[in-house]
Amino acid sequence: ALTRPNAKDIAWLIFKRLFDKYEPGNRDECFHESALEIHLPNGSRVMLRGADQPQWVARLEGQEFKLVIIDEASQFSLDIRPLVYNSIAPMIAKEGTVCLISRPGDVKFGLFYDITCDENRAGPKNEGGGWTYVDKERGRTWEFFNWSTFDNPFMAEAWRKEIKDQIAINPEIVQTPGFRRHYFGEWAEDSDTNVYAFDEARNVIEEWIPLDGDRFGMITDFGWTDSQGFLVGAWGPKRPDYVVVESYKQSQMPLSDALDRM
C-alpha cells in the first residue's frame, strides 16, 4: 500500500475475519502484528508492506511470490513502471499474478493509466468480462476491469440515494472530475492539481505563425528509465504567450542518439 498504516488499516482486520472463519482457534500463532505477516498452517505467507518503509522493495529481493497486489496504484507520486517491471515481476512465480487496483487518479499519468485509460475500454470485452492491454515495449499482457459505484452489490442502493441527494442540491456535480473518478470510475483529470493548469481547449492550437522578433529555444530533460524529453519553444516581443512548437520523448535513449536528436 502507499504507507504501512494504510496496509494495516485496509487489510489486517479483514484477514483476521477470514482467518477466524476458515481456520478458527489458532490465530495468535499465525498472526505476527509487529511484522504485519501471517504464517499459515500450510506454509504459505501473507505479507503487508508500505511503500513509505525504507528499502521495502530490497527486503523482498530473492523471494518468490504467487500474488503481489499494489493498492491505490494511481496514487503513487512516481511512475510505478520500474517498480512493477524491474523489481516485482522477476519475483513472481510461474503462473503468478501482479494485480494493480485503484480508483482513477487526478492526473493521466503512469502505468495504471496506460493500462486502464478510456481508449483501451473502447473495444469489445474479452471472455473474462474485461479488456486486454498489451504493453509492447515491456512484452507484457494485462487483463483489466472497470467498475462504478453501482456495480457494488452491497452498496449500490445506498450510493444511488446518496448521489440522488447530491444531484438534487447541485445537478452539475456529476460533471466534476472528483465525482466522475470516485463514483463512476472514470479518468477525469483535475487541472487545478497540476503545476500548470493545462486545458486542451484553451491551450492547444492547431497551427501557429512565426512573428518578427520570435526567438527559439530547446530544453532537454535527461532520463533513462524515465523518458528523456525534448521541447522546442518560441517567444518574442509581439507574442504574449510561450508556444511549444515541438516535443518529443524516448526512454532508454543512448547519449549519442540524444545528441543526434538535439
Side-chain angles (χ1 to χ4, degrees):
L2 291 171
T3 68
R4 190 177 190 275
N6 284 151
K8 184 174 182 179
D9 294 343
I10 294 170
W12 196 242
L13 291 179
I14 294 176
F15 277 124
K16 285 184 175 180
R17 288 200 298 268
L18 290 171
F19 196 87
D20 289 341
K21 180 177 180 180
Y22 295 106
E23 291 285 344
N26 60 345
R27 191 213 303 174
D28 292 341
E29 299 176 8
C30 299
F31 278 68
H32 300 265
E33 294 274 350
S34 60
L36 286 187
E37 293 186 8
I38 307 166
H39 297 191
L40 298 171
N42 65 0
S44 297
R45 284 193 300 163
V46 177
M47 307 160 64
L48 301 184
R49 295 289 183 263
D52 60 334
Q53 295 171 273
Q55 301 297 315
W56 70 277
V57 174
R59 285 188 285 160
L60 302 178
E61 295 287 350
Q63 302 185 63
E64 188 175 62
F65 296 97
K66 188 70 175 177
L67 171 67
V68 174
I69 299 173
I70 300 179
D71 190 37
E72 296 296 0
S74 72
Q75 303 301 309
F76 284 74
S77 58
L78 298 176
D79 188 2
I80 62 173
R81 188 177 276 101
L83 167 67
V84 172
Y85 287 137
N86 299 342
S87 298
I88 293 178
M91 293 186 282
I92 292 294
K94 184 180 180 181
E95 309 268 326
T97 300
V98 177
C99 184
L100 311 180
I101 59 177
S102 184
R103 65 189 186 277
D106 54 5
V107 177
K108 296 179 178 180
F109 164 81
L111 177 62
F112 189 76
Y113 170 71
D114 291 344
I115 296 171
T116 65
C117 64
D118 296 339
E119 290 81 0
N120 293 341
R121 291 189 280 121
K125 292 185 177 182
N126 56 33
E127 293 181 358
W131 296 267
T132 300
Y133 169 76
V134 179
D135 190 336
K136 295 181 179 179
E137 181 180 351
R138 298 286 185 162
R140 299 280 181 172
T141 299
W142 296 86
E143 186 175 13
F144 70 97
F145 305 85
N146 176 267
W147 296 279
S148 74
T149 300
F150 307 111
D151 293 313
N152 184 334
F154 303 100
M155 294 294 295
E157 289 304 317
W159 282 121
R160 282 193 180 92
K161 183 180 183 305
E162 169 72 16
I163 292 171
K164 183 179 179 180
D165 292 342
Q166 292 185 53
I167 293 175
I169 297 172
N170 177 14
E172 302 298 323
I173 197 171
V174 294
Q175 301 301 325
T176 60
F179 191 96
R180 290 168 57 194
R181 289 195 302 270
H182 288 277
Y183 291 101
F184 297 149
E186 297 178 359
W187 281 96
E189 196 163 41
D190 192 345
S191 62
D192 292 338
T193 64
N194 297 340
V195 176
Y196 299 103
F198 175 83
D199 180 85
E200 187 170 355
R202 183 184 66 218
N203 297 116
V204 174
I205 56 176
E206 295 299 326
E207 59 182 34
W208 70 287
I209 301 174
L211 302 175
D212 291 339
D214 273 352
R215 303 183 68 182
F216 296 85
M218 187 197 72
I219 303 167
T220 183
D221 181 15
F222 287 93
W224 181 254
T225 302
D226 295 328
S227 298
Q228 176 158 339
F230 302 87
L231 183 146
V232 176
W235 69 96
K238 297 182 181 180
R239 187 182 301 283
D241 301 310
Y242 179 82
V243 178
V244 176
V245 181
E246 182 180 354
S247 62
Y248 176 81
K249 69 176 182 178
Q250 181 179 326
S251 61
Q252 300 184 1
M253 191 176 198
L255 182 59
S256 58
D257 291 353
L259 294 173
D260 288 342
R261 183 78 194 187
M262 292 185 214

